[in-house]
Structures are given as structure tokens and as C-alpha cells.
Amino acid sequence: MVDDEHLTEKIKASVLPRGPKAIAEPEKELRFTRAGQAPLFFFLGAILFAACVAVFILSTQDWGMEDPPLKGWWWLCLPGLFAVYGMIRLGLRCTRHAYIILSPLGIEIFPFFNAAKNLQVIYWSQVADAEFSPDAKNLVLHFSEEKKSGVIASLKPIPSSRRHLLEEAVLGVLEKRDSEA
């Protein structure tokens, strides 16, 4: 019985993506995920799954005809199912892992691929000013008062209903920092 539970956990860990690591003090940071991109991957996964089922049915069933319309093409379902699995994993990754983290140190921006290697940390002391585009699709962090250098981060991966929360948090930290100085 114990071996079955252990085997189940191993299979679950290898099939499902791991969630974010536990943090020591989660109340000190705000995480914004790529949840705005996840529905695209889930939708593509559902469409691919439906296409796999259709190909399987059309390649194996005969409805009183001589041969199935796609006889011998059932093997196309296998790569299609791998693609479905990949789309679902990407959707889960987008909903579970952070894209932007606001912490007491600064703003951490995680790229879509190789996040641990290409992580960009912008300390609050580096940020002279921050502005959001009128349509709330871009965050511009200026490193100088002249606004000649900085970072532009796209907010499209973040759901539009949550972008104003990011705006309030970033501007609130900058206001607090400026009032203390």
C-alpha cells in the first residue's frame, strides 16, 4: 500500500509541472502571474484534443462504408496527444509561476523561458520614476530623472483585471519612498 502511494506521487511529480517554491515570508511580496496567457494554451490544447479524437474516429470506424476515410492514419493521434500534453503544461505553468514579483528589494521580472537564468531584478533604489501606458499594457521603469534609460515590461501576460493592482502597488511604493526621503 505504501509503495503504491509512493509510485503515485512519483508519477504525479513527473506528469504535472511543479508549482512555485515555498517562500519564507510570502506576506512581503506581491506575485503577478501570466494568467492572461494561460487561456490561449488551454484553448489550443482543447482544439488539438478534439482534432486527435476526430482523426482517431475517422481512421478506425467504418459506418457501413468500404474503408474508414482516413484508414491507417490513427498514428497521427500520438504526436497530437503529446502536443495536447505540452499545451496543458504551458497553461498550468502560466497560471502557477510568477511573471512579476514586487518585493521589499525591488521588482523581479521573469522571462517566459529560462527564468532562473534570465531573471531581471530591478532594485527600488535604481527606479527614479515609473509610468504605465494609458491602455495599461506596458510598465516603464525609468532609471534617471531625464527618462533616458530604463526598462519596459509588457503587462499583456497579466490579466487586464489585475493590472491596476500592479499599478497601485508600484506607484504606492515609489510615493512611500519619496515621502520618506
Side-chain angles (χ1 to χ4, degrees):
M1 184 71 173
V2 174
D3 291 333
D4 290 341
E5 290 177 14
H6 186 64
L7 180 64
T8 304
E9 291 298 320
K10 281 185 176 180
I11 292 171
K12 183 180 172 185
S14 66
V15 172
L16 294 176
R18 289 179 298 243
K21 295 179 182 176
I23 357 176
E25 298 178 87
E27 68 277 358
K28 290 188 176 181
E29 51 180 55
L30 289 173
R31 290 175 170 251
F32 294 90
T33 64
R34 296 179 179 272
Q37 289 176 320
L40 172 67
F41 294 116
F42 290 134
F43 178 74
L44 289 175
I47 295 296
L48 277 171
F49 182 74
C52 288
V53 169
V55 167
F56 183 76
I57 290 172
L58 290 173
S59 64
T60 59
Q61 303 295 314
D62 63 356
W63 293 290
M65 297 183 269
E66 294 176 11
D67 286 328
L70 297 176
K71 185 175 182 172
W73 289 86
W74 63 267
W75 60 270
L76 280 177
C77 299
L78 297 176
L81 290 176
F82 284 119
V84 168
Y85 174 72
M87 291 295 149
I88 291 173
R89 277 192 63 122
L90 279 173
L92 288 173
R93 181 169 178 76
C94 287
T95 57
R96 297 178 85 186
H97 291 276
Y99 169 51
I100 293 178
I101 297 178
L102 302 180
S103 69
L105 290 176
I107 300 172
E108 301 170 25
I109 302 173
F110 294 87
F112 194 77
F113 296 109
N114 298 326
K117 183 178 163 185
N118 298 323
L119 166 71
Q120 186 172 11
V121 179
I122 302 156
Y123 297 102
W124 291 116
S125 59
Q126 290 178 289
V127 179
D129 190 20
E131 62 184 66
F132 289 79
S133 63
D135 56 359
K137 290 187 179 179
N138 291 317
L139 164 64
V140 182
L141 300 171
H142 299 287
F143 293 157
S144 64
E145 294 295 329
E146 298 83 32
K147 299 182 179 181
K148 292 185 177 183
S149 64
V151 172
I152 299 173
S154 173
L155 301 181
K156 290 179 186 176
I158 299 173
S160 58
S161 61
R162 297 193 182 119
R163 291 179 194 156
H164 74 281
L165 298 173
L166 176 64
E167 183 175 359
E168 288 179 24
V170 169
L171 297 178
V173 167
L174 292 177
E175 284 178 20
K176 182 179 178 184
R177 183 191 68 182
D178 293 341
S179 68
E180 290 176 354

